[in-house]
Amino acid sequence: MSSWLGGLGSGLGQSLGQVGGSLASLTGQISNFTKDMLMEGTEEVEELPDSRTKEIEAIHVILRSENERLKKLCTDLEEKHEASELQIKQQSTSYRNQLQQKEVEISHLKARQIALQDQLQKLQSAAQSVPSGAGSVPATTASSSFTYGISHHPSAFHDDDMDFGDIISSQQEINRLSNEVSRLESEVGHWRHIAQSSKAQGTHNSDQSEICKLQNIIKELKQNRSQEIDDHQHEMSVLQNAHQQKLTEISRRHREELSDYEERIEELENLLQQGGPGVTETDHSKIYEMQKTIQVLQTEKVESTKKIEELEDKIKDINKKLSSAENDRDILRREHEQLNVEKRQIMEECENLKLECSKLQPSAMKQSDTVTERERLVAQSASVEEVFRLQQALSDAENEIMRLSNLNQDNTLAEDNLKLKMHIEVLEKEKSLLSQEKEDLQIALLKLNNEYEGIKSTATRDISLDSELHDLRLHLEAKEQELNQIISEKEILIAEIEELDRQNQEATKHMILIKDQLSKQQNEGDSIISKLKQDLNEEKKRVHQLEDDKVDITKELDVQKETLIQSEVVLNDLHLTKQKLEDKVESLVDQLNESQKSNVNIQKENLELKEHIRQNEDELSRIRNELTQSLNQDSGSNFKDNLLKEREAEVIHLKQSLSELEQLNENLKKVAFDVKMENEKLVLAYEDLMHQLEESIADNKQLSLEKNTIVETLKMEKGEIEAELCRAEKRLLEEANKYEKTIEELSNARNLNASALQVEHERLIKLNQKKDIEIAELKKNIERMDMDHKETKDILSSSLEEQKQLTQLINEKEIFIEKLEERSSKLQEELDKYSQALRKNEILRQTIEEKDRSLGSMKEENNHLQEELERLREQQSRTAPMADPKTLDSVTELESEVSQLNMIKDHLEEEIKHHQKIIEDQNQSKRQLLQSLQEQKKEMDEFRHQHEQMNATHTQLFLEKDEEIRSLQKTIEQIKTQFHEERQDIQTDNSDIFQETKVQSLNIENGSEKHDLSKAETERLVKGIKERELEIKLLNEKNISLTKQIDQLSKDEVGKLTEIIQQKDLEIQALHARISSTSYAQDVVYLQQQLQAYAMEREKVFAVLNEKTRENSHLKTEYHKMMDIVAAKEAALIKLQDENKKLSARFESSGQDMFRETIQNLSRIIREKDIEIDALSQKCQTLLAVLQTSSTGNEVGGVNSNQFEELLQERDKLKQQVKKMEEWKQQVMTTVQNMQHESAQLQEELHQLQAQVLVDSDNNSKLQVDYTGLIQSYEQNETKLKNFGQELAQVQHSIGQLCNTKDLLLGKLDIISPQLSSTSLLTPQSAESLRAGKSDVLSESPELLQQEIEKLRKSLQEKDATIRTLQENNHRLSDSIAATSELEKKEHEQTDSEIKQLKEKQDVLQKLLTEKDLLIKAKSDQLLSSNENFTNKVNENELLRQAVTNLKERILILEMDIGKLKGENEKIVEISRGKETEYQALQETNMKFSMMLREKEFECHSMKEKALAFEHLLKEKEQGKTGELNQLLNAVKSMQEKTVVFQQERDQVMLALKQKQMENTALQNEVQRLHDKEFRSNQELERLRNHLLESEDSYTREALAAEDREAKLRKKVTVLEEKLVSSSNAMENASHQASVQVESLQEQLNVVSKQRDETALQLSVSQEQVKQYALSLANLQMVLEHFQQEEKAMYSAELEKQKQFIAEWKKKAENLEGKVISLQERLDEANAALDSASRLTEQLDLKEEQIEELKKQNELRQEMLDDVQKKLMNLANSSEGKVDKVLMRNLFIGHFHTPKNQRHEVLRLMGSILGVRREEMEQLFHDDQGGVTRWMTGWFGGGSKSVPTTPLRPNQQSVFNSSFSELFVKFLETESHPSIPPPKLSVHGMKPLDSPGRRKLDANTPESFKDTAESRSGRRTDVNPFLAPRSAAVPLINPAGHGPGGPGHLLLKPISDVLPTFTPLPVLPDNSAGVVLKDLLKQ
């Protein structure tokens, strides 16, 4: 740019300098001429006119010569102009090249960006594959990142165009998976083989069963692993999506923070200067780096300041020049003032003339002659003076116009312009006045001329002068118009400048607004970051709490250890055990020394064995190399097999020896482990004895000291363990010495006092701890050492014999474990052996197959060669002159080649068909995938739509409901004060509730859609799987058939060739016979030549044949490879089908058009190829026919050479076509592969869509954040519910106690009379049934409450009826008892005392019940209020959801509109750019045309004026008075030439100005485009940078500092460029000013010449400066490139750093995942508690109503109890000693119904009831054992009158088969049950566990809820107080053996899943009556 401007400026300067010089000379001459004319005007009044005419002619000649010289100058200037235009074109081309280079650089940057994105995606894939490595399944995620990058747009298709590298990587993963599948299949086959062999050999069945079990376990483990991997991948994808979203947010924030980092750097510098205390050590390093960057920037600043100073010096020089120009202007102003003075003088002279005229008028008639002459002279002089003055004014006006035009360019000299304009206006006014005065004078002159009619010559001259004056006035008016135009142009320019200023102000305002917005966004980002930090801190606090809990647990453990140590201070026999231990320790020390020695020996032997193994391995490798060499040398030799067998035998032998060694090592390990166990036991015993000793000696004070010492030693343990792990081997050597020292210290410790014993005790504890550590280290060392089995066995056997009694049990267990380990190790060894053998076998098979192929080809070649040799021998045996022609041979060879080519063609066609089928199959799969993609897209749109609707509704309703929430919060705070303690327990579970609500809401929204989709998808997937399996089977069958066909074709081809060769041999023999009969010498010579040629061709053909055979074998190998690839692809397909089956249902409509087009193209290509093949086959057939006809026609040499050449050409063509076909086949293969890659791409897109769905679900979860207020209220309700639940449990417990007491009472009453049991049981049963009803009803919704209340009322009425009947019965009984009351008063008194006690208990219980009722009422009121609040909140949430959905819809519509408007704006901008370029071009052309027009008009005008002047000259010459007119004409011509020159110069300057403006605008546009491109590239770089800079703030700061540096440098560069441009403009302006000054200083010739020299010097200086600027620009460009290289290096270093940080973050993420899993478990457990609490809230509402009813019933029951107690008193008095008649009757009848074997049991029972002793009963049985007839049936079959008999149940079919005791129990149960049917409670509450109603309820609940419930119930019970373990007393399932009513108590019914389980009640499982009867039987 600068070089171009410099060249332009230099060219213009030179041209202007030359113009200025010529103008200076010209103007100097003109000014001299005008001066001479003025001087002569006064002198030549008296001279003759002839001399003046001569002088005028001379001047005319001089002016002509000057005019010619000026024309030459014009032509030179035009040439220079053309040269400058050429230069400009060249520079523009160079500029365009630079632009292209920049564009290339931009493309390189884009490619680099794409490469970086690929690296990112690879990193993401690696990050995903790290956790999934366990299962070796590739992690399939988005990434993209695409991740990818994936861009990290919200849309799922941020990377639609998949990279080829990703496709390759996915293909590699598929291949790897297929290999793993094949390996697993081989292992399965191996295990099957082992199982079959074991069956065949008849091995142990136990081993087989174990193997089967192991296989099943392996399968289960594999399934579990696959499931875990899938879950893990799913979690990883979710985490990655969330991570990408976070990254995008962070990058956006970093972009916004770029502007603030400069201020931060300055603050850091200030802190460094102040040495602030707040700066940490980590900040110091960062500040140091920042200081370095600041120093670099300062050095750059110094350099830039130097350059600026240089520029300022140049500007000062220019200012000096401007000041000189201003001085010149001052001189011109003075001249203006002089001119004004002269004008005043002229005015005075005009007045004098008027006076003279007035005086001369009276004396005119008298002195006519004299006056006429004087008047003439005076008029002439005055007119001449006026003409000169007007000319001077014109020249001044023109000079001023030129100055104004120049001053329009200079902004600095605006004030001077205004002053000059004012002067010009004043002068114009004066000119107008002068012109008026001149007109008056001319009128006066005309009057004088009229008066003096005699003087005609003067009149004619006056007329001519008038015409000239008129022309001059017209000229002046034209000039004035030009001046007005210039003024108007200047005003327009000023208006444009003002508009630009306005635009600039608007732009600044817009920038300020953008800054404000960015600052707001930054604040928001900071707030989000602070929130995230708070969340992190909260999580850290939780972790610290957990650690504190852990510390507390450890402390509790320590306390428990101390208590254990204290508890062991009981033993007394210390000294004896101590002596024994000392002996044992000594023996162990000896054994340890021996074992160390043996270990050393073992290590030596191990080293020897390792060396031996290495030698064996070297030998093996050498033998393998020899084997491979021998295999390469001789393929057919059997030697390799023998060698292989020998080597395998050696290998097997070595492996056996290795296995033996391993077994020995394992035995040694066992022995070592035994020794270790014994050592540990001895050490423990030793420690126990030591503790016993010290504790027996020490007092209680010493015990406290021991506790402190133990705490200290525990603290010391940690440090010693950490320090002494490294020194394990050294301590092993010191062990024996330390043991001896301990023994000596113990022996010394006996004699010491109690204080000395304490000290030694502490020291011994430390030593014991050290010994423990050393023993642990010894274990590790013993495991490492490989022992010598013989020596160690001898040593250890002696030790084992001594200690067998202690370690028998342990040895048995260890032997069992070792057996298992041996089995596993053997199995592993066998697996390894078999796998190695399989690999070797596969390698050998491959080599054998290759050798077989090579052998077959070699054999075929040998046969061909032998046949050819035989032919050659036969030909040689015959005579030389016989030499037959071999034309037929060549023809036959050609035919064979043609047939071979046809065969190859057929083979290729078959392959093409096969590939077409494959392509069609893949197309079908593609279509299905695309259809599923489209459906997924639709689903995604629907989800987004729902999401936006939810957002809209939420935002609206949150605003509306804030006030309501505040009011609710007040109520919540009141509840908080009441239940503060319970809230503390549940604070940790807030997040869990929140998550659960999220899950519920999501499932409610998406549940219906998923259910509808899943059914259709499963059906479609099943169909798709079946179709795919059929296709795979068909493809396999086709492949097999093709392989068979290829093999057959190769064999058929060989057979056909051999047959053809034999036929040709016969034909040759026949020809020989013919040739022998004929003798044609010429023909023979000719045929010999042909024979030689044909022999050469034949050799070539043979070479071609060999090549074809090679190609055929190569194709076969390729086919086999393809088969392998197809098999791998099938394995990959099987995996992909699982995914495709899930998605195939959705993919049926999309993408069919594309596949149809591709299939149509392929079919069209195939048709064309078929047509070509048909044409070729027809050609071949015609050629064969021609050949056959030619061979039959010509007997000996009748084959034409032309036909032969044609055949060869045809053969070449066929070969080319075959090559084309092969190429096409390869293309088809590539298309197949591409289709596969595209399918992989589609799968990845599917994964991306799935990830997008997950992202949307995350967004939905974010919406739930606003529900936290509701959750808090919900938590407070839960705390209330917990209290209610606890109180309910207490109530139930009290009820259970009441039941127990009642059961005891009833038991006692049953002893008195079994009849009373039925009546007494009614009350507890009714109460219990009501309670059970109460518990069951809790599970139902509040809508069913009214129905259940009505049912309960009915049941109450039934109960009342039963109570009345019982009361009547009781009255009857009391009447009967009254008679017998006197006999039994004693028993009645006892019962009275018992009844009094019961009454007291019942009073206490009643008080408790009343208290609980009051509490329950209070709690129920609170619950009702909380439930109302909850329902209000739910309604609010629904409204908010609707608002959110509406807002989402609006946002979608707005986004669509915005996208459309953006597209339209871009189109409009492009159109406007095109229009601007066209407009600029049109402006340029218009300017050129206008300049041309002006020139032409000016030329026309000048020509007209010249013609007029010449006409006047001719007239004057005719008249003979031409002197004065010639002078005037010359003056006019000179003025006209000057005006022409000035106008041309002005036009040139205007054109140059406008061209400069256009060029400047074009350059500015180009600069803006370049800046835009740079900005885009910078944006892309920043995006990548922000994507990478995610780890730490320090690295982001460094990167931002680098970016700031870059931005500063760029700013400096732009500033320098602007300064350069301004300096160049200033230089150009200066040159223009210089030229203007040269033109303006026309009158002072000497000054002008000096100034011309000065300007030339200045131009040379400016050129040098321009060169310097060009050099400085080049240097700047170099510096820029250097900076770019540094930036690249920085970026690469930062990339590596970021990779490392990404790896670290991955590790952190894995740790966090583990923590998340543990937290999730806790969440689940807490959620379980919350679920139960939520159920309780619903149930408690029902309970409140039921409690009120139960209170009323309790009061009734209390009254009934009082009545019953009174009646019981009477009954007890009356019925003591009596027997029930009905019972005895039933027993009597039942005796006869029972079998004979069991009748004695009935008699015994009767005896026990009647009070007969056992001995008496046995005597009766001995006396009479005869069977009694059925007299017992009445007791069991019938019943009492009051109690009806029950129908038999199906499980009571054979009463007679069961025992008598069972019958009796059942009878009593039937008697004890009430006759009235039990009350029917609500059907909903009484449902069994698996009823359909229950299932419906479960189905309605979301799946996640069920899962959490299941996991909660299974995992931890201690978290939730409601989920206590159920006791055995409460059965979960209906007991089978009950009567028709089942168990009498409803609380004992099966507990449904919906009801919460409370603390176990001590209630018996069955009726209390049944228990009493069983107790009776036991007696």
Side-chain angles (χ1 to χ4, degrees), residues 848-867:
I848 288 155
E849 283 171 1
E850 288 171 359
K851 295 291 173 187
D852 289 333
R853 287 171 195 162
S854 61
L855 267 171
S857 61
M858 289 288 282
K859 281 175 186 175
E860 287 172 1
E861 287 171 4
N862 281 322
N863 290 326
H864 287 301
L865 291 165
Q866 283 174 3
E867 285 169 4

mmCIF file of all heavy atoms in Angstrom, residues 848-867:
data_model
loop_
_atom_site.group_PDB
_atom_site.id
_atom_site.type_symbol
_atom_site.label_atom_id
_atom_site.label_comp_id
_atom_site.label_asym_id
_atom_site.label_seq_id
_atom_site.Cartn_x
_atom_site.Cartn_y
_atom_site.Cartn_z
ATOM 1 N N ILE A 848 0.450 -73.548 4.806
ATOM 2 C CA ILE A 848 0.216 -74.759 3.985
ATOM 3 C C ILE A 848 -0.703 -74.424 2.820
ATOM 4 O O ILE A 848 -0.470 -74.872 1.681
ATOM 5 C CB ILE A 848 -0.378 -75.877 4.870
ATOM 6 C CG1 ILE A 848 0.712 -76.428 5.818
ATOM 7 C CG2 ILE A 848 -0.939 -77.015 4.018
ATOM 8 C CD1 ILE A 848 0.177 -77.050 7.086
ATOM 9 N N GLU A 849 -1.770 -73.602 3.093
ATOM 10 C CA GLU A 849 -2.674 -73.243 2.001
ATOM 11 C C GLU A 849 -1.962 -72.429 0.928
ATOM 12 O O GLU A 849 -2.135 -72.678 -0.270
ATOM 13 C CB GLU A 849 -3.833 -72.421 2.578
ATOM 14 C CG GLU A 849 -4.863 -73.265 3.302
ATOM 15 C CD GLU A 849 -5.875 -72.426 4.050
ATOM 16 O OE1 GLU A 849 -5.782 -71.196 3.977
ATOM 17 O OE2 GLU A 849 -6.752 -73.012 4.699
ATOM 18 N N GLU A 850 -1.117 -71.489 1.384
ATOM 19 C CA GLU A 850 -0.353 -70.712 0.403
ATOM 20 C C GLU A 850 0.578 -71.609 -0.410
ATOM 21 O O GLU A 850 0.682 -71.459 -1.635
ATOM 22 C CB GLU A 850 0.452 -69.634 1.133
ATOM 23 C CG GLU A 850 -0.401 -68.509 1.677
ATOM 24 C CD GLU A 850 0.357 -67.563 2.565
ATOM 25 O OE1 GLU A 850 1.556 -67.798 2.785
ATOM 26 O OE2 GLU A 850 -0.268 -66.599 3.049
ATOM 27 N N LYS A 851 1.235 -72.530 0.291
ATOM 28 C CA LYS A 851 2.159 -73.431 -0.426
ATOM 29 C C LYS A 851 1.389 -74.319 -1.404
ATOM 30 O O LYS A 851 1.858 -74.597 -2.516
ATOM 31 C CB LYS A 851 2.909 -74.300 0.587
ATOM 32 C CG LYS A 851 3.830 -73.511 1.503
ATOM 33 C CD LYS A 851 5.015 -72.948 0.766
ATOM 34 C CE LYS A 851 5.814 -72.036 1.665
ATOM 35 N NZ LYS A 851 6.869 -71.339 0.920
ATOM 36 N N ASP A 852 0.197 -74.805 -0.979
ATOM 37 C CA ASP A 852 -0.620 -75.630 -1.887
ATOM 38 C C ASP A 852 -0.986 -74.856 -3.133
ATOM 39 O O ASP A 852 -0.915 -75.385 -4.259
ATOM 40 C CB ASP A 852 -1.896 -76.085 -1.161
ATOM 41 C CG ASP A 852 -1.574 -77.129 -0.100
ATOM 42 O OD1 ASP A 852 -0.563 -77.846 -0.253
ATOM 43 O OD2 ASP A 852 -2.346 -77.225 0.869
ATOM 44 N N ARG A 853 -1.374 -73.604 -2.924
ATOM 45 C CA ARG A 853 -1.735 -72.781 -4.085
ATOM 46 C C ARG A 853 -0.543 -72.621 -5.016
ATOM 47 O O ARG A 853 -0.649 -72.775 -6.236
ATOM 48 C CB ARG A 853 -2.209 -71.401 -3.618
ATOM 49 C CG ARG A 853 -3.581 -71.417 -2.972
ATOM 50 C CD ARG A 853 -3.866 -70.072 -2.353
ATOM 51 N NE ARG A 853 -5.010 -70.144 -1.429
ATOM 52 C CZ ARG A 853 -5.285 -69.231 -0.499
ATOM 53 N NH1 ARG A 853 -4.501 -68.171 -0.358
ATOM 54 N NH2 ARG A 853 -6.337 -69.358 0.296
ATOM 55 N N SER A 854 0.608 -72.268 -4.385
ATOM 56 C CA SER A 854 1.813 -72.074 -5.211
ATOM 57 C C SER A 854 2.189 -73.369 -5.917
ATOM 58 O O SER A 854 2.594 -73.371 -7.089
ATOM 59 C CB SER A 854 2.959 -71.592 -4.336
ATOM 60 O OG SER A 854 3.248 -72.542 -3.343
ATOM 61 N N LEU A 855 2.029 -74.519 -5.197
ATOM 62 C CA LEU A 855 2.335 -75.834 -5.818
ATOM 63 C C LEU A 855 1.434 -76.086 -7.009
ATOM 64 O O LEU A 855 1.903 -76.533 -8.082
ATOM 65 C CB LEU A 855 2.138 -76.941 -4.783
ATOM 66 C CG LEU A 855 3.385 -77.354 -3.981
ATOM 67 C CD1 LEU A 855 2.978 -78.275 -2.859
ATOM 68 C CD2 LEU A 855 4.391 -78.070 -4.865
ATOM 69 N N GLY A 856 0.135 -75.798 -6.818
ATOM 70 C CA GLY A 856 -0.809 -76.045 -7.923
ATOM 71 C C GLY A 856 -0.445 -75.211 -9.133
ATOM 72 O O GLY A 856 -0.409 -75.712 -10.275
ATOM 73 N N SER A 857 -0.146 -73.926 -8.886
ATOM 74 C CA SER A 857 0.217 -73.047 -10.010
ATOM 75 C C SER A 857 1.511 -73.527 -10.661
ATOM 76 O O SER A 857 1.644 -73.560 -11.900
ATOM 77 C CB SER A 857 0.365 -71.616 -9.510
ATOM 78 O OG SER A 857 1.384 -71.553 -8.539
ATOM 79 N N MET A 858 2.487 -73.951 -9.823
ATOM 80 C CA MET A 858 3.762 -74.428 -10.353
ATOM 81 C C MET A 858 3.561 -75.694 -11.187
ATOM 82 O O MET A 858 4.166 -75.868 -12.248
ATOM 83 C CB MET A 858 4.717 -74.724 -9.194
ATOM 84 C CG MET A 858 5.212 -73.455 -8.477
ATOM 85 S SD MET A 858 6.376 -72.498 -9.419
ATOM 86 C CE MET A 858 7.867 -73.467 -9.182
ATOM 87 N N LYS A 859 2.684 -76.584 -10.669
ATOM 88 C CA LYS A 859 2.422 -77.828 -11.426
ATOM 89 C C LYS A 859 1.818 -77.507 -12.779
ATOM 90 O O LYS A 859 2.209 -78.094 -13.806
ATOM 91 C CB LYS A 859 1.474 -78.718 -10.621
ATOM 92 C CG LYS A 859 2.166 -79.475 -9.499
ATOM 93 C CD LYS A 859 1.165 -80.249 -8.663
ATOM 94 C CE LYS A 859 1.842 -80.891 -7.456
ATOM 95 N NZ LYS A 859 0.878 -81.537 -6.566
ATOM 96 N N GLU A 860 0.841 -76.606 -12.769
ATOM 97 C CA GLU A 860 0.222 -76.221 -14.045
ATOM 98 C C GLU A 860 1.258 -75.642 -15.001
ATOM 99 O O GLU A 860 1.303 -75.998 -16.191
ATOM 100 C CB GLU A 860 -0.879 -75.188 -13.783
ATOM 101 C CG GLU A 860 -2.117 -75.798 -13.150
ATOM 102 C CD GLU A 860 -3.100 -74.743 -12.731
ATOM 103 O OE1 GLU A 860 -2.834 -73.562 -12.953
ATOM 104 O OE2 GLU A 860 -4.149 -75.124 -12.164
ATOM 105 N N GLU A 861 2.109 -74.760 -14.450
ATOM 106 C CA GLU A 861 3.160 -74.176 -15.298
ATOM 107 C C GLU A 861 4.120 -75.251 -15.805
ATOM 108 O O GLU A 861 4.538 -75.239 -16.980
ATOM 109 C CB GLU A 861 3.933 -73.129 -14.495
ATOM 110 C CG GLU A 861 3.144 -71.846 -14.275
ATOM 111 C CD GLU A 861 3.821 -70.907 -13.311
ATOM 112 O OE1 GLU A 861 4.932 -71.218 -12.873
ATOM 113 O OE2 GLU A 861 3.221 -69.860 -13.024
ATOM 114 N N ASN A 862 4.469 -76.203 -14.909
ATOM 115 C CA ASN A 862 5.357 -77.302 -15.329
ATOM 116 C C ASN A 862 4.738 -78.110 -16.457
ATOM 117 O O ASN A 862 5.429 -78.495 -17.422
ATOM 118 C CB ASN A 862 5.646 -78.214 -14.133
ATOM 119 C CG ASN A 862 6.697 -77.619 -13.213
ATOM 120 O OD1 ASN A 862 7.649 -77.002 -13.682
ATOM 121 N ND2 ASN A 862 6.516 -77.760 -11.920
ATOM 122 N N ASN A 863 3.437 -78.422 -16.297
ATOM 123 C CA ASN A 863 2.759 -79.202 -17.366
ATOM 124 C C ASN A 863 2.800 -78.454 -18.681
ATOM 125 O O ASN A 863 3.115 -79.030 -19.733
ATOM 126 C CB ASN A 863 1.299 -79.427 -16.958
ATOM 127 C CG ASN A 863 1.194 -80.407 -15.795
ATOM 128 O OD1 ASN A 863 1.984 -81.345 -15.698
ATOM 129 N ND2 ASN A 863 0.248 -80.179 -14.897
ATOM 130 N N HIS A 864 2.469 -77.124 -18.621
ATOM 131 C CA HIS A 864 2.516 -76.314 -19.851
ATOM 132 C C HIS A 864 3.916 -76.346 -20.475
ATOM 133 O O HIS A 864 4.074 -76.538 -21.694
ATOM 134 C CB HIS A 864 2.121 -74.865 -19.536
ATOM 135 C CG HIS A 864 0.668 -74.676 -19.262
ATOM 136 N ND1 HIS A 864 -0.307 -75.004 -20.163
ATOM 137 C CD2 HIS A 864 0.034 -74.199 -18.151
ATOM 138 C CE1 HIS A 864 -1.484 -74.744 -19.649
ATOM 139 N NE2 HIS A 864 -1.305 -74.255 -18.423
ATOM 140 N N LEU A 865 4.944 -76.157 -19.602
ATOM 141 C CA LEU A 865 6.323 -76.117 -20.109
ATOM 142 C C LEU A 865 6.743 -77.470 -20.700
ATOM 143 O O LEU A 865 7.428 -77.532 -21.741
ATOM 144 C CB LEU A 865 7.277 -75.723 -18.984
ATOM 145 C CG LEU A 865 7.152 -74.253 -18.499
ATOM 146 C CD1 LEU A 865 7.851 -74.093 -17.171
ATOM 147 C CD2 LEU A 865 7.761 -73.315 -19.525
ATOM 148 N N GLN A 866 6.327 -78.555 -20.024
ATOM 149 C CA GLN A 866 6.674 -79.883 -20.554
ATOM 150 C C GLN A 866 6.052 -80.110 -21.920
ATOM 151 O O GLN A 866 6.710 -80.622 -22.854
ATOM 152 C CB GLN A 866 6.195 -80.952 -19.569
ATOM 153 C CG GLN A 866 7.108 -81.076 -18.349
ATOM 154 C CD GLN A 866 6.549 -82.035 -17.294
ATOM 155 O OE1 GLN A 866 5.502 -82.621 -17.540
ATOM 156 N NE2 GLN A 866 7.245 -82.172 -16.182
ATOM 157 N N GLU A 867 4.775 -79.742 -22.021
ATOM 158 C CA GLU A 867 4.107 -79.891 -23.319
ATOM 159 C C GLU A 867 4.806 -79.075 -24.398
ATOM 160 O O GLU A 867 5.019 -79.546 -25.527
ATOM 161 C CB GLU A 867 2.648 -79.455 -23.195
ATOM 162 C CG GLU A 867 1.810 -80.495 -22.457
ATOM 163 C CD GLU A 867 0.439 -79.942 -22.107
ATOM 164 O OE1 GLU A 867 0.149 -78.808 -22.501
ATOM 165 O OE2 GLU A 867 -0.324 -80.671 -21.454
#
